[in-house]
Short mmCIF file of all heavy atoms in Angstrom, two decimals:
data_model
loop_
_atom_site.label_atom_id
_atom_site.label_comp_id
_atom_site.label_asym_id
_atom_site.label_seq_id
_atom_site.Cartn_x
_atom_site.Cartn_y
_atom_site.Cartn_z
N MET A 231 3.05 -11.27 9.43
CA MET A 231 1.77 -11.09 10.06
C MET A 231 1.06 -12.48 10.21
O MET A 231 0.37 -12.66 11.16
CB MET A 231 0.91 -10.15 9.28
CG MET A 231 0.32 -9.07 10.07
SD MET A 231 -0.85 -8.14 9.15
CE MET A 231 -0.35 -6.56 9.63
N MET A 232 1.16 -13.25 9.25
CA MET A 232 0.59 -14.61 9.17
C MET A 232 -0.76 -14.68 9.85
O MET A 232 -1.70 -13.98 9.49
CB MET A 232 1.63 -15.60 9.74
CG MET A 232 2.90 -15.54 8.95
SD MET A 232 3.97 -16.87 9.02
CE MET A 232 3.11 -18.24 8.48
N THR A 233 -0.89 -15.55 10.87
CA THR A 233 -2.22 -15.81 11.47
C THR A 233 -2.74 -14.60 12.22
O THR A 233 -3.90 -14.33 12.24
CB THR A 233 -2.11 -17.02 12.45
OG1 THR A 233 -1.50 -18.12 11.73
CG2 THR A 233 -3.49 -17.46 12.92
N SER A 234 -1.85 -13.85 12.89
CA SER A 234 -2.30 -12.70 13.70
C SER A 234 -2.93 -11.65 12.78
O SER A 234 -3.83 -10.95 13.24
CB SER A 234 -1.14 -12.10 14.46
OG SER A 234 -0.19 -11.53 13.60
N GLY A 235 -2.55 -11.57 11.53
CA GLY A 235 -3.14 -10.61 10.62
C GLY A 235 -4.60 -10.96 10.30
O GLY A 235 -5.39 -10.08 10.02
N PHE A 236 -4.93 -12.21 10.38
CA PHE A 236 -6.29 -12.66 10.11
C PHE A 236 -7.28 -12.15 11.18
O PHE A 236 -8.46 -11.95 10.88
CB PHE A 236 -6.32 -14.21 10.08
CG PHE A 236 -7.64 -14.77 9.65
CD1 PHE A 236 -8.02 -14.70 8.30
CD2 PHE A 236 -8.48 -15.33 10.55
CE1 PHE A 236 -9.25 -15.21 7.90
CE2 PHE A 236 -9.70 -15.87 10.18
CZ PHE A 236 -10.08 -15.82 8.85
N PHE A 237 -6.80 -11.93 12.37
CA PHE A 237 -7.69 -11.50 13.46
C PHE A 237 -7.68 -10.03 13.75
O PHE A 237 -8.38 -9.57 14.67
CB PHE A 237 -7.25 -12.26 14.75
CG PHE A 237 -7.47 -13.77 14.66
CD1 PHE A 237 -6.33 -14.56 14.57
CD2 PHE A 237 -8.70 -14.31 14.65
CE1 PHE A 237 -6.50 -15.95 14.46
CE2 PHE A 237 -8.85 -15.67 14.54
CZ PHE A 237 -7.76 -16.48 14.46
N ARG A 238 -6.98 -9.25 12.99
CA ARG A 238 -6.92 -7.78 13.18
C ARG A 238 -8.19 -7.14 12.59
O ARG A 238 -8.57 -7.45 11.47
CB ARG A 238 -5.68 -7.23 12.54
CG ARG A 238 -4.40 -7.70 13.20
CD ARG A 238 -3.20 -7.12 12.48
NE ARG A 238 -3.16 -5.67 12.49
CZ ARG A 238 -2.35 -4.98 13.24
NH1 ARG A 238 -1.45 -5.56 14.03
NH2 ARG A 238 -2.37 -3.66 13.21
N PHE A 239 -8.75 -6.20 13.33
CA PHE A 239 -9.97 -5.52 12.90
C PHE A 239 -9.70 -4.73 11.60
O PHE A 239 -10.52 -4.73 10.71
CB PHE A 239 -10.44 -4.57 14.01
CG PHE A 239 -11.57 -3.66 13.56
CD1 PHE A 239 -12.86 -4.22 13.38
CD2 PHE A 239 -11.33 -2.35 13.31
CE1 PHE A 239 -13.86 -3.41 12.97
CE2 PHE A 239 -12.41 -1.52 12.89
CZ PHE A 239 -13.67 -2.06 12.72
N GLY A 240 -8.56 -4.05 11.52
CA GLY A 240 -8.23 -3.23 10.33
C GLY A 240 -8.19 -4.06 9.06
O GLY A 240 -8.56 -3.58 7.99
N VAL A 241 -7.70 -5.31 9.15
CA VAL A 241 -7.64 -6.19 8.00
C VAL A 241 -9.07 -6.47 7.49
O VAL A 241 -9.32 -6.40 6.28
CB VAL A 241 -6.87 -7.49 8.33
CG1 VAL A 241 -6.98 -8.48 7.17
CG2 VAL A 241 -5.44 -7.19 8.67
N TRP A 242 -9.96 -6.81 8.38
CA TRP A 242 -11.34 -7.12 8.00
C TRP A 242 -12.06 -5.88 7.46
O TRP A 242 -12.79 -5.93 6.50
CB TRP A 242 -12.13 -7.70 9.17
CG TRP A 242 -11.73 -9.10 9.35
CD1 TRP A 242 -10.86 -9.57 10.31
CD2 TRP A 242 -12.17 -10.22 8.58
NE1 TRP A 242 -10.73 -10.94 10.16
CE2 TRP A 242 -11.53 -11.37 9.14
CE3 TRP A 242 -13.02 -10.39 7.52
CZ2 TRP A 242 -11.76 -12.63 8.63
CZ3 TRP A 242 -13.23 -11.65 7.02
CH2 TRP A 242 -12.56 -12.78 7.54
N LYS A 243 -11.73 -4.71 8.03
CA LYS A 243 -12.32 -3.45 7.57
C LYS A 243 -11.88 -3.18 6.15
O LYS A 243 -12.69 -2.83 5.27
CB LYS A 243 -11.90 -2.30 8.52
CG LYS A 243 -12.56 -0.96 8.16
CD LYS A 243 -12.17 0.10 9.16
CE LYS A 243 -10.82 0.64 8.78
NZ LYS A 243 -10.37 1.82 9.51
N ASN A 244 -10.61 -3.36 5.88
CA ASN A 244 -10.06 -3.17 4.54
C ASN A 244 -10.64 -4.17 3.53
O ASN A 244 -10.90 -3.88 2.38
CB ASN A 244 -8.51 -3.25 4.52
CG ASN A 244 -7.91 -2.07 5.23
OD1 ASN A 244 -8.49 -1.00 5.33
ND2 ASN A 244 -6.72 -2.26 5.74
N PHE A 245 -10.82 -5.42 3.98
CA PHE A 245 -11.38 -6.46 3.13
C PHE A 245 -12.80 -6.08 2.69
O PHE A 245 -13.14 -6.14 1.52
CB PHE A 245 -11.42 -7.79 3.84
CG PHE A 245 -12.20 -8.85 3.16
CD1 PHE A 245 -11.72 -9.48 2.02
CD2 PHE A 245 -13.50 -9.16 3.59
CE1 PHE A 245 -12.48 -10.43 1.35
CE2 PHE A 245 -14.23 -10.12 2.94
CZ PHE A 245 -13.75 -10.75 1.80
N PHE A 246 -13.62 -5.69 3.65
CA PHE A 246 -15.03 -5.30 3.31
C PHE A 246 -15.13 -4.06 2.46
O PHE A 246 -15.97 -3.95 1.58
CB PHE A 246 -15.87 -5.18 4.58
CG PHE A 246 -16.25 -6.51 5.19
CD1 PHE A 246 -15.76 -6.88 6.43
CD2 PHE A 246 -17.01 -7.44 4.46
CE1 PHE A 246 -16.06 -8.09 6.95
CE2 PHE A 246 -17.32 -8.68 4.99
CZ PHE A 246 -16.85 -9.02 6.25
N ARG A 247 -14.20 -3.10 2.68
CA ARG A 247 -14.17 -1.89 1.89
C ARG A 247 -13.88 -2.29 0.42
O ARG A 247 -14.50 -1.83 -0.49
CB ARG A 247 -13.09 -0.94 2.37
CG ARG A 247 -13.03 0.37 1.56
CD ARG A 247 -11.76 1.06 1.85
NE ARG A 247 -10.72 0.03 1.69
CZ ARG A 247 -9.44 0.22 1.83
NH1 ARG A 247 -8.99 1.37 2.13
NH2 ARG A 247 -8.56 -0.72 1.71
N ALA A 248 -12.88 -3.17 0.21
CA ALA A 248 -12.49 -3.61 -1.13
C ALA A 248 -13.63 -4.43 -1.77
O ALA A 248 -13.97 -4.22 -2.95
CB ALA A 248 -11.21 -4.43 -1.10
N TRP A 249 -14.24 -5.28 -0.97
CA TRP A 249 -15.32 -6.13 -1.50
C TRP A 249 -16.54 -5.29 -1.94
O TRP A 249 -17.12 -5.55 -2.94
CB TRP A 249 -15.72 -7.15 -0.40
CG TRP A 249 -16.76 -8.10 -0.82
CD1 TRP A 249 -16.75 -9.02 -1.77
CD2 TRP A 249 -18.09 -8.19 -0.21
NE1 TRP A 249 -17.91 -9.74 -1.84
CE2 TRP A 249 -18.79 -9.22 -0.91
CE3 TRP A 249 -18.69 -7.52 0.82
CZ2 TRP A 249 -20.04 -9.63 -0.56
CZ3 TRP A 249 -19.98 -7.91 1.15
CH2 TRP A 249 -20.64 -8.93 0.46
N LYS A 250 -16.91 -4.28 -1.12
CA LYS A 250 -18.04 -3.43 -1.44
C LYS A 250 -17.78 -2.60 -2.66
O LYS A 250 -18.67 -2.28 -3.38
CB LYS A 250 -18.37 -2.48 -0.24
CG LYS A 250 -19.12 -3.24 0.85
CD LYS A 250 -19.38 -2.52 2.10
CE LYS A 250 -19.66 -1.02 1.98
NZ LYS A 250 -19.96 -0.39 3.24
N SER A 251 -16.51 -2.26 -2.94
CA SER A 251 -16.21 -1.45 -4.14
C SER A 251 -16.04 -2.30 -5.36
O SER A 251 -15.77 -1.81 -6.43
CB SER A 251 -14.96 -0.62 -3.91
OG SER A 251 -13.81 -1.48 -3.81
N GLY A 252 -16.19 -3.65 -5.23
CA GLY A 252 -16.21 -4.53 -6.38
C GLY A 252 -14.88 -5.22 -6.68
O GLY A 252 -14.77 -5.98 -7.63
N TYR A 253 -13.89 -5.02 -5.85
CA TYR A 253 -12.57 -5.66 -6.07
C TYR A 253 -12.65 -7.10 -5.65
O TYR A 253 -13.13 -7.41 -4.57
CB TYR A 253 -11.48 -4.96 -5.28
CG TYR A 253 -10.13 -5.60 -5.53
CD1 TYR A 253 -9.43 -5.34 -6.68
CD2 TYR A 253 -9.59 -6.45 -4.57
CE1 TYR A 253 -8.24 -5.92 -6.91
CE2 TYR A 253 -8.38 -7.02 -4.82
CZ TYR A 253 -7.69 -6.80 -5.99
OH TYR A 253 -6.47 -7.38 -6.18
N SER A 254 -12.21 -8.00 -6.53
CA SER A 254 -12.21 -9.43 -6.17
C SER A 254 -10.83 -10.04 -6.10
O SER A 254 -10.60 -10.98 -5.35
CB SER A 254 -13.07 -10.24 -7.18
OG SER A 254 -12.47 -10.11 -8.46
N GLY A 255 -9.88 -9.49 -6.86
CA GLY A 255 -8.52 -10.05 -6.84
C GLY A 255 -8.46 -11.41 -7.49
O GLY A 255 -9.44 -11.94 -7.95
N ASN A 256 -7.26 -11.97 -7.52
CA ASN A 256 -7.13 -13.29 -8.19
C ASN A 256 -6.96 -14.43 -7.20
O ASN A 256 -6.97 -15.60 -7.59
CB ASN A 256 -5.96 -13.29 -9.16
CG ASN A 256 -4.65 -13.01 -8.51
OD1 ASN A 256 -4.52 -13.11 -7.31
ND2 ASN A 256 -3.65 -12.73 -9.33
N LEU A 257 -6.81 -14.12 -5.93
CA LEU A 257 -6.66 -15.11 -4.85
C LEU A 257 -5.56 -16.14 -5.13
O LEU A 257 -5.65 -17.27 -4.67
CB LEU A 257 -8.02 -15.85 -4.62
CG LEU A 257 -9.22 -14.95 -4.28
CD1 LEU A 257 -10.44 -15.74 -4.10
CD2 LEU A 257 -8.91 -14.18 -3.00
N GLU A 258 -4.53 -15.70 -5.87
CA GLU A 258 -3.37 -16.55 -6.10
C GLU A 258 -2.19 -15.98 -5.31
O GLU A 258 -2.16 -14.86 -4.98
CB GLU A 258 -3.04 -16.57 -7.58
CG GLU A 258 -4.13 -17.25 -8.43
CD GLU A 258 -3.77 -17.21 -9.92
OE1 GLU A 258 -2.61 -16.99 -10.24
OE2 GLU A 258 -4.72 -17.43 -10.71
N GLY A 259 -1.23 -16.86 -5.06
CA GLY A 259 -0.05 -16.43 -4.30
C GLY A 259 -0.13 -16.83 -2.86
O GLY A 259 -1.12 -17.43 -2.39
N GLU A 260 0.87 -16.49 -2.13
CA GLU A 260 0.93 -16.95 -0.71
C GLU A 260 0.02 -16.13 0.19
O GLU A 260 -0.43 -16.66 1.19
CB GLU A 260 2.40 -16.86 -0.17
CG GLU A 260 2.87 -15.42 -0.08
CD GLU A 260 4.14 -15.30 0.69
OE1 GLU A 260 5.17 -15.72 0.14
OE2 GLU A 260 4.10 -14.79 1.83
N GLY A 261 -0.23 -14.87 -0.12
CA GLY A 261 -1.20 -14.08 0.67
C GLY A 261 -0.64 -13.50 1.95
O GLY A 261 -1.40 -12.92 2.73
N PHE A 262 0.67 -13.62 2.21
CA PHE A 262 1.22 -13.13 3.45
C PHE A 262 2.24 -12.02 3.23
O PHE A 262 2.83 -11.53 4.16
CB PHE A 262 1.94 -14.26 4.21
CG PHE A 262 0.99 -15.30 4.70
CD1 PHE A 262 1.05 -16.60 4.20
CD2 PHE A 262 0.01 -15.02 5.62
CE1 PHE A 262 0.16 -17.56 4.64
CE2 PHE A 262 -0.88 -15.97 6.06
CZ PHE A 262 -0.77 -17.26 5.56
N THR A 263 2.43 -11.56 2.02
CA THR A 263 3.35 -10.53 1.70
C THR A 263 2.68 -9.16 1.66
O THR A 263 1.75 -8.96 0.93
CB THR A 263 4.03 -10.79 0.34
OG1 THR A 263 4.62 -12.09 0.36
CG2 THR A 263 5.12 -9.78 0.05
N LEU A 264 3.19 -8.28 2.47
CA LEU A 264 2.69 -6.88 2.45
C LEU A 264 3.42 -6.09 1.40
O LEU A 264 4.57 -6.43 1.09
CB LEU A 264 2.89 -6.26 3.82
CG LEU A 264 2.10 -6.91 4.98
CD1 LEU A 264 2.50 -6.29 6.31
CD2 LEU A 264 0.60 -6.78 4.76
N GLY A 265 2.79 -5.09 0.82
CA GLY A 265 3.39 -4.35 -0.21
C GLY A 265 3.85 -2.92 0.17
O GLY A 265 3.80 -2.58 1.38
N GLY A 266 4.20 -2.14 -0.77
CA GLY A 266 4.61 -0.79 -0.51
C GLY A 266 4.70 0.00 -1.79
O GLY A 266 4.65 -0.52 -2.88
N VAL A 267 4.90 1.33 -1.62
CA VAL A 267 5.05 2.24 -2.76
C VAL A 267 6.21 3.17 -2.45
O VAL A 267 6.28 3.74 -1.34
CB VAL A 267 3.75 3.08 -2.95
CG1 VAL A 267 3.98 4.09 -4.05
CG2 VAL A 267 2.60 2.17 -3.31
N TYR A 268 7.10 3.35 -3.41
CA TYR A 268 8.20 4.29 -3.29
C TYR A 268 8.16 5.22 -4.51
O TYR A 268 7.92 4.76 -5.61
CB TYR A 268 9.56 3.56 -3.30
CG TYR A 268 9.80 2.71 -2.08
CD1 TYR A 268 9.43 1.40 -2.04
CD2 TYR A 268 10.45 3.28 -0.96
CE1 TYR A 268 9.63 0.63 -0.91
CE2 TYR A 268 10.68 2.50 0.17
CZ TYR A 268 10.29 1.17 0.16
OH TYR A 268 10.52 0.42 1.31
N VAL A 269 8.38 6.51 -4.25
CA VAL A 269 8.64 7.48 -5.30
C VAL A 269 10.06 7.94 -5.12
O VAL A 269 10.41 8.49 -4.09
CB VAL A 269 7.64 8.66 -5.25
CG1 VAL A 269 7.95 9.71 -6.32
CG2 VAL A 269 6.20 8.17 -5.34
N ILE A 270 10.88 7.71 -6.11
CA ILE A 270 12.29 7.98 -6.05
C ILE A 270 12.65 9.06 -7.06
O ILE A 270 12.37 8.86 -8.23
CB ILE A 270 13.13 6.73 -6.27
CG1 ILE A 270 12.74 5.66 -5.23
CG2 ILE A 270 14.63 6.99 -6.20
CD1 ILE A 270 13.31 4.31 -5.42
N GLY A 271 13.28 10.09 -6.59
CA GLY A 271 13.66 11.20 -7.48
C GLY A 271 14.96 10.87 -8.22
O GLY A 271 15.66 9.94 -7.98
N ALA A 272 15.21 11.74 -9.21
CA ALA A 272 16.39 11.59 -10.11
C ALA A 272 17.62 12.00 -9.32
O ALA A 272 17.60 12.88 -8.45
CB ALA A 272 16.21 12.38 -11.37
N GLY A 273 18.78 11.43 -9.71
CA GLY A 273 20.07 11.85 -9.17
C GLY A 273 20.13 11.70 -7.66
O GLY A 273 19.84 10.63 -7.10
N ARG A 274 20.45 12.81 -6.99
CA ARG A 274 20.64 12.76 -5.54
C ARG A 274 19.37 13.11 -4.73
O ARG A 274 19.45 13.31 -3.55
CB ARG A 274 21.74 13.75 -5.15
CG ARG A 274 23.11 13.37 -5.69
CD ARG A 274 24.12 14.35 -5.22
NE ARG A 274 25.45 13.95 -5.67
CZ ARG A 274 26.38 13.44 -4.88
NH1 ARG A 274 26.14 13.25 -3.58
NH2 ARG A 274 27.54 13.12 -5.36
N GLN A 275 18.23 13.19 -5.41
CA GLN A 275 17.00 13.52 -4.72
C GLN A 275 16.59 12.42 -3.72
O GLN A 275 16.04 12.69 -2.68
CB GLN A 275 15.87 13.71 -5.70
CG GLN A 275 15.77 15.10 -6.25
CD GLN A 275 14.52 15.34 -7.01
OE1 GLN A 275 14.36 14.73 -8.04
NE2 GLN A 275 13.63 16.14 -6.47
N GLY A 276 16.90 11.21 -4.05
CA GLY A 276 16.62 10.11 -3.14
C GLY A 276 15.10 9.80 -3.09
O GLY A 276 14.33 10.07 -3.99
N VAL A 277 14.71 9.22 -1.98
CA VAL A 277 13.32 8.76 -1.78
C VAL A 277 12.43 9.94 -1.41
O VAL A 277 12.70 10.63 -0.42
CB VAL A 277 13.23 7.68 -0.68
CG1 VAL A 277 11.80 7.27 -0.43
CG2 VAL A 277 14.09 6.47 -1.03
N LEU A 278 11.41 10.22 -2.23
CA LEU A 278 10.53 11.33 -1.99
C LEU A 278 9.27 10.90 -1.27
O LEU A 278 8.63 11.70 -0.61
CB LEU A 278 10.15 11.98 -3.33
CG LEU A 278 11.35 12.56 -4.14
CD1 LEU A 278 10.84 13.03 -5.49
CD2 LEU A 278 12.01 13.65 -3.37
N LEU A 279 8.94 9.64 -1.40
CA LEU A 279 7.77 9.07 -0.65
C LEU A 279 8.01 7.61 -0.41
O LEU A 279 8.43 6.87 -1.31
CB LEU A 279 6.44 9.24 -1.47
CG LEU A 279 5.24 8.56 -0.88
CD1 LEU A 279 4.69 9.39 0.29
CD2 LEU A 279 4.16 8.35 -1.92
N GLU A 280 7.70 7.18 0.80
CA GLU A 280 7.79 5.75 1.15
C GLU A 280 6.51 5.37 1.88
O GLU A 280 6.15 6.03 2.85
CB GLU A 280 8.99 5.53 2.05
CG GLU A 280 9.08 4.12 2.59
CD GLU A 280 10.20 3.96 3.59
OE1 GLU A 280 10.97 4.89 3.82
OE2 GLU A 280 10.33 2.83 4.11
N HIS A 281 5.82 4.39 1.39
CA HIS A 281 4.66 3.86 2.04
C HIS A 281 4.76 2.36 2.14
O HIS A 281 4.91 1.68 1.15
CB HIS A 281 3.34 4.24 1.30
CG HIS A 281 2.12 3.51 1.83
ND1 HIS A 281 1.48 3.95 2.95
CD2 HIS A 281 1.53 2.41 1.42
CE1 HIS A 281 0.45 3.14 3.17
NE2 HIS A 281 0.48 2.17 2.25
N ARG A 282 4.75 1.85 3.36
CA ARG A 282 4.76 0.39 3.57
C ARG A 282 3.47 -0.05 4.22
O ARG A 282 3.01 0.59 5.15
CB ARG A 282 5.93 -0.01 4.48
CG ARG A 282 7.27 0.32 3.95
CD ARG A 282 8.36 -0.18 4.85
NE ARG A 282 9.62 0.37 4.45
CZ ARG A 282 10.74 0.09 5.09
NH1 ARG A 282 10.70 -0.72 6.14
NH2 ARG A 282 11.90 0.57 4.69
N GLU A 283 2.90 -1.09 3.70
CA GLU A 283 1.66 -1.63 4.31
C GLU A 283 1.95 -2.10 5.72
O GLU A 283 2.90 -2.85 5.92
CB GLU A 283 1.14 -2.83 3.49
CG GLU A 283 0.27 -2.47 2.36
CD GLU A 283 -0.37 -3.70 1.74
OE1 GLU A 283 0.31 -4.72 1.64
OE2 GLU A 283 -1.57 -3.64 1.41
N LYS A 284 1.14 -1.67 6.68
CA LYS A 284 1.31 -2.11 8.05
C LYS A 284 0.38 -3.31 8.32
O LYS A 284 0.65 -4.12 9.19
CB LYS A 284 0.95 -0.98 8.98
CG LYS A 284 1.99 0.16 8.92
CD LYS A 284 1.64 1.25 9.87
CE LYS A 284 2.62 2.36 9.81
NZ LYS A 284 2.49 3.21 8.64
N GLU A 285 -0.73 -3.36 7.54
CA GLU A 285 -1.64 -4.53 7.61
C GLU A 285 -2.23 -4.70 6.21
O GLU A 285 -2.18 -3.79 5.40
CB GLU A 285 -2.71 -4.35 8.67
CG GLU A 285 -3.56 -3.15 8.49
CD GLU A 285 -4.49 -2.92 9.64
OE1 GLU A 285 -4.21 -3.42 10.75
OE2 GLU A 285 -5.50 -2.26 9.48
N PHE A 286 -2.76 -5.86 5.95
CA PHE A 286 -3.34 -6.16 4.64
C PHE A 286 -4.36 -5.14 4.23
O PHE A 286 -5.27 -4.80 4.98
CB PHE A 286 -3.89 -7.57 4.58
CG PHE A 286 -2.89 -8.63 4.92
CD1 PHE A 286 -2.99 -9.34 6.07
CD2 PHE A 286 -1.85 -8.91 4.04
CE1 PHE A 286 -2.06 -10.36 6.39
CE2 PHE A 286 -0.94 -9.85 4.34
CZ PHE A 286 -1.02 -10.59 5.53
N GLY A 287 -4.26 -4.63 3.01
CA GLY A 287 -5.26 -3.65 2.52
C GLY A 287 -4.96 -2.21 2.88
O GLY A 287 -5.74 -1.35 2.51
N ASP A 288 -3.89 -1.95 3.55
CA ASP A 288 -3.50 -0.58 3.86
C ASP A 288 -3.06 0.13 2.56
O ASP A 288 -2.08 -0.23 1.93
CB ASP A 288 -2.36 -0.61 4.87
CG ASP A 288 -1.96 0.75 5.38
OD1 ASP A 288 -2.76 1.68 5.23
OD2 ASP A 288 -0.86 0.86 5.94
N LYS A 289 -3.81 1.17 2.18
CA LYS A 289 -3.60 1.83 0.88
C LYS A 289 -2.83 3.12 1.04
O LYS A 289 -2.93 3.79 2.06
CB LYS A 289 -4.93 2.13 0.21
CG LYS A 289 -5.71 0.94 -0.18
CD LYS A 289 -7.08 1.19 -0.71
CE LYS A 289 -7.24 2.42 -1.53
NZ LYS A 289 -8.57 2.61 -2.11
N VAL A 290 -2.02 3.43 0.04
CA VAL A 290 -1.29 4.66 -0.03
C VAL A 290 -2.26 5.76 -0.47
O VAL A 290 -3.20 5.53 -1.24
CB VAL A 290 -0.08 4.58 -0.94
CG1 VAL A 290 -0.49 4.38 -2.40
CG2 VAL A 290 0.84 5.78 -0.84
N SER A 291 -2.03 6.99 -0.05
CA SER A 291 -2.84 8.14 -0.43
C SER A 291 -2.43 8.57 -1.83
O SER A 291 -1.23 8.97 -2.05
CB SER A 291 -2.66 9.26 0.57
OG SER A 291 -3.08 10.44 0.05
N LEU A 292 -3.32 8.52 -2.78
CA LEU A 292 -3.03 8.93 -4.16
C LEU A 292 -2.56 10.38 -4.25
O LEU A 292 -1.59 10.68 -4.95
CB LEU A 292 -4.23 8.68 -5.06
CG LEU A 292 -4.01 9.01 -6.56
CD1 LEU A 292 -2.84 8.18 -7.13
CD2 LEU A 292 -5.28 8.73 -7.30
N PRO A 293 -3.19 11.33 -3.54
CA PRO A 293 -2.66 12.71 -3.59
C PRO A 293 -1.23 12.84 -3.09
O PRO A 293 -0.48 13.61 -3.67
CB PRO A 293 -3.63 13.51 -2.69
CG PRO A 293 -4.90 12.70 -2.67
CD PRO A 293 -4.48 11.28 -2.79
N SER A 294 -0.84 12.05 -2.13
CA SER A 294 0.57 12.13 -1.66
C SER A 294 1.55 11.59 -2.67
O SER A 294 2.63 12.06 -2.82
CB SER A 294 0.72 11.42 -0.30
OG SER A 294 0.48 10.05 -0.42
N VAL A 295 1.12 10.52 -3.42
CA VAL A 295 1.96 10.00 -4.51
C VAL A 295 2.10 11.04 -5.62
O VAL A 295 3.22 11.32 -6.11
CB VAL A 295 1.34 8.71 -5.12
CG1 VAL A 295 2.12 8.25 -6.35
CG2 VAL A 295 1.32 7.63 -4.04
N LEU A 296 1.00 11.70 -5.99
CA LEU A 296 1.06 12.69 -7.04
C LEU A 296 1.92 13.92 -6.62
O LEU A 296 2.69 14.45 -7.41
CB LEU A 296 -0.34 13.15 -7.41
CG LEU A 296 -1.20 12.09 -8.10
CD1 LEU A 296 -2.65 12.62 -8.28
CD2 LEU A 296 -0.62 11.66 -9.37
N GLU A 297 1.77 14.31 -5.35
CA GLU A 297 2.57 15.42 -4.83
C GLU A 297 4.05 15.11 -4.85
O GLU A 297 4.89 15.92 -5.24
CB GLU A 297 2.14 15.74 -3.40
CG GLU A 297 2.87 16.84 -2.73
CD GLU A 297 2.44 17.07 -1.29
OE1 GLU A 297 1.23 16.90 -1.02
OE2 GLU A 297 3.27 17.46 -0.46
N ALA A 298 4.41 13.89 -4.46
CA ALA A 298 5.81 13.47 -4.46
C ALA A 298 6.33 13.37 -5.92
O ALA A 298 7.46 13.75 -6.19
CB ALA A 298 5.98 12.10 -3.79
N ALA A 299 5.53 12.86 -6.82
CA ALA A 299 5.93 12.75 -8.24
C ALA A 299 6.18 14.12 -8.86
O ALA A 299 7.06 14.32 -9.69
CB ALA A 299 4.90 11.98 -9.04
N GLU A 300 5.42 15.12 -8.44
CA GLU A 300 5.60 16.48 -8.97
C GLU A 300 6.90 17.09 -8.48
O GLU A 300 7.40 18.05 -9.08
CB GLU A 300 4.41 17.38 -8.56
CG GLU A 300 3.12 17.04 -9.31
CD GLU A 300 1.92 17.80 -8.78
OE1 GLU A 300 2.03 18.50 -7.78
OE2 GLU A 300 0.86 17.68 -9.43
N LYS A 301 7.47 16.60 -7.41
CA LYS A 301 8.73 17.13 -6.85
C LYS A 301 9.94 16.55 -7.56
O LYS A 301 11.08 17.03 -7.32
CB LYS A 301 8.84 16.79 -5.35
CG LYS A 301 7.83 17.53 -4.50
CD LYS A 301 7.99 17.17 -3.06
CE LYS A 301 6.96 17.86 -2.21
NZ LYS A 301 7.05 17.41 -0.79
N ILE A 302 9.77 15.58 -8.44
CA ILE A 302 10.90 14.99 -9.14
C ILE A 302 11.48 16.03 -10.10
O ILE A 302 10.73 16.55 -10.94
CB ILE A 302 10.50 13.70 -9.89
CG1 ILE A 302 10.05 12.62 -8.93
CG2 ILE A 302 11.63 13.19 -10.76
CD1 ILE A 302 9.49 11.37 -9.59
N GLU A 303 12.77 16.31 -9.97
CA GLU A 303 13.40 17.26 -10.83
C GLU A 303 14.16 16.47 -11.92
O GLU A 303 14.89 15.53 -11.63
CB GLU A 303 14.43 18.09 -10.07
CG GLU A 303 13.75 18.94 -8.96
CD GLU A 303 14.76 19.57 -8.02
OE1 GLU A 303 15.98 19.36 -8.22
OE2 GLU A 303 14.31 20.28 -7.13
N PRO A 304 14.01 16.86 -13.18
CA PRO A 304 14.69 16.16 -14.24
C PRO A 304 16.22 16.25 -14.09
O PRO A 304 16.72 17.31 -13.65
CB PRO A 304 14.28 16.84 -15.54
CG PRO A 304 13.25 17.85 -15.15
CD PRO A 304 13.20 17.95 -13.70
N GLN A 305 16.90 15.17 -14.41
CA GLN A 305 18.36 15.16 -14.25
C GLN A 305 18.97 15.68 -15.56
O GLN A 305 18.58 15.27 -16.65
CB GLN A 305 18.83 13.73 -14.00
CG GLN A 305 20.25 13.62 -13.61
CD GLN A 305 20.59 12.24 -13.16
OE1 GLN A 305 19.78 11.33 -13.20
NE2 GLN A 305 21.85 12.04 -12.74
N ALA A 306 19.94 16.58 -15.44
CA ALA A 306 20.61 17.15 -16.62
C ALA A 306 21.46 16.07 -17.28
O ALA A 306 22.10 15.26 -16.62
CB ALA A 306 21.49 18.32 -16.19
N SER A 307 21.43 16.08 -18.63
CA SER A 307 22.19 15.06 -19.39
C SER A 307 23.63 15.39 -19.45
O SER A 307 24.06 16.46 -19.61
CB SER A 307 21.62 14.96 -20.82
OG SER A 307 20.29 14.60 -20.74
#
């Protein structure tokens, strides 16, 4: 995303949302790496949830993470 990410409306919206809620971060690192969240089930269940940031500050839905985590079936020993 590099420079183009700086000019996206959604990035600024996410920045102000985080700033208003009191998040400051550490401002260390390169700052150009987007993150993601995976919930992976046991054995052959595979990936139950995949969320990749499309722009900086794009957050995963906590209820969807909890729902996916509840679907994990314990693997027999």
